[in-house]
Amino acid sequence: TIMNKVPEGSTCTAYRCGPLIDLCRGPHLPHTGMVKALAVTKNSAAHWKGNISSTPLQRVYGVSFPDKKRLKEHQAMIEEAKLRDHREIGRKQGLFFFHILSPGSCFFLPHGTIIYNRLMNMLRVEYRTRGYSEVITPNIFNLDLWRTSGHLDMYAENMFILASKPSASSGPPPSAPKALPAAAQVDDAGGAGEGG
């Protein structure tokens, strides 16, 4: 509810465009007539506040620019970036692959494993050099962690969520703080913690 989103005593901004009233940080354009060039980039299903039992919604993503020239420049930049997409390059070079049997999880092939291990060894040297201790964390967490961190609201549609009783769990969303519980435990024991 709005009461949970806006704590008592704080303020909230409201933007109006025709019949739509949106409570958000904004800003919004004064009117849609200012949008001269628009492109829909993707759409996806979403659930209100990440609650998978709620009615599904349709989320639409797009970009707009004050003129068609800037939109075309942006689209050209996106296409150029696709040529350097590490996920596609790695697949073409036979370094790794993804499979429906484990969505979102990478299967490293022999050459990819060599690169992965070298990177991990470099990280371990850097951890020690900088005074950190390595920790290894689980891959699945109760959704409460992602609610607390704010990641669930931002990334729920791209997260692999396991619906189970009494509560749902998920793998980590992008840039998630999954080492925090371990770091707190290590700090309580008198050491430094960091890692993934």
Side-chain angles (χ1 to χ4, degrees):
T1 65
I2 294 172
M3 297 298 288
N4 294 337
K5 287 273 191 188
V6 185
E8 190 172 333
S10 64
T11 59
C12 177
T13 54
Y15 290 87
R16 182 178 191 147
C17 186
L20 170 71
I21 298 175
D22 193 13
L23 300 176
C24 73
R25 292 187 191 106
H28 281 203
L29 292 172
H31 58 84
T32 55
M34 296 179 74
V35 177
K36 302 298 182 189
L38 172 73
V40 173
T41 56
K42 70 174 181 170
N43 66 307
S44 62
H47 295 278
W48 178 251
K49 297 181 79 176
N51 181 355
I52 58 176
S53 63
S54 66
T55 303
L57 305 170
Q58 187 66 30
R59 182 173 285 159
V60 179
Y61 297 85
V63 293
S64 68
F65 291 87
D67 56 59
K68 290 182 180 178
K69 178 180 181 280
R70 290 191 204 173
L71 173 60
K72 286 185 190 292
E73 288 171 353
H74 171 76
Q75 289 172 324
M77 181 187 71
I78 296 298
E79 289 304 312
E80 185 67 29
K82 286 180 184 176
L83 297 175
R84 293 188 295 277
D85 185 338
H86 66 279
R87 295 165 297 185
E88 191 60 24
I89 292 169
R91 187 187 62 76
K92 286 179 180 174
Q93 292 182 345
L95 302 177
F96 53 75
F97 69 95
F98 293 88
H99 195 279
I100 192 70
L101 293 177
S102 187
S105 298
C106 183
F107 289 80
F108 284 96
L109 296 168
H111 291 297
T113 301
I114 291 169
I115 294 170
Y116 176 88
N117 286 331
R118 286 186 181 169
L119 286 171
M120 290 306 300
N121 289 337
M122 182 198 73
L123 281 172
R124 288 182 176 114
V125 168
E126 289 299 319
Y127 283 157
R128 287 190 295 275
T129 300
R130 297 165 193 268
Y132 289 99
S133 300
E134 182 179 9
V135 297
I136 298 173
T137 62
N139 289 318
I140 302 293
F141 290 87
N142 185 290
L143 288 184
D144 289 343
L145 175 63
W146 312 131
R147 274 191 199 94
T148 302
S149 70
H151 285 79
L152 188 64
D153 287 339
M154 296 294 294
Y155 301 109
E157 71 185 60
N158 294 315
M159 291 170 62
F160 182 69
I161 297 175
L162 301 170
S164 61
K165 294 182 181 178
S167 61
S169 299
S170 167
S175 71
K178 65 182 192 141
L180 290 181
Q185 196 73 11
V186 171
D187 286 344
D188 288 347
E194 183 59 51

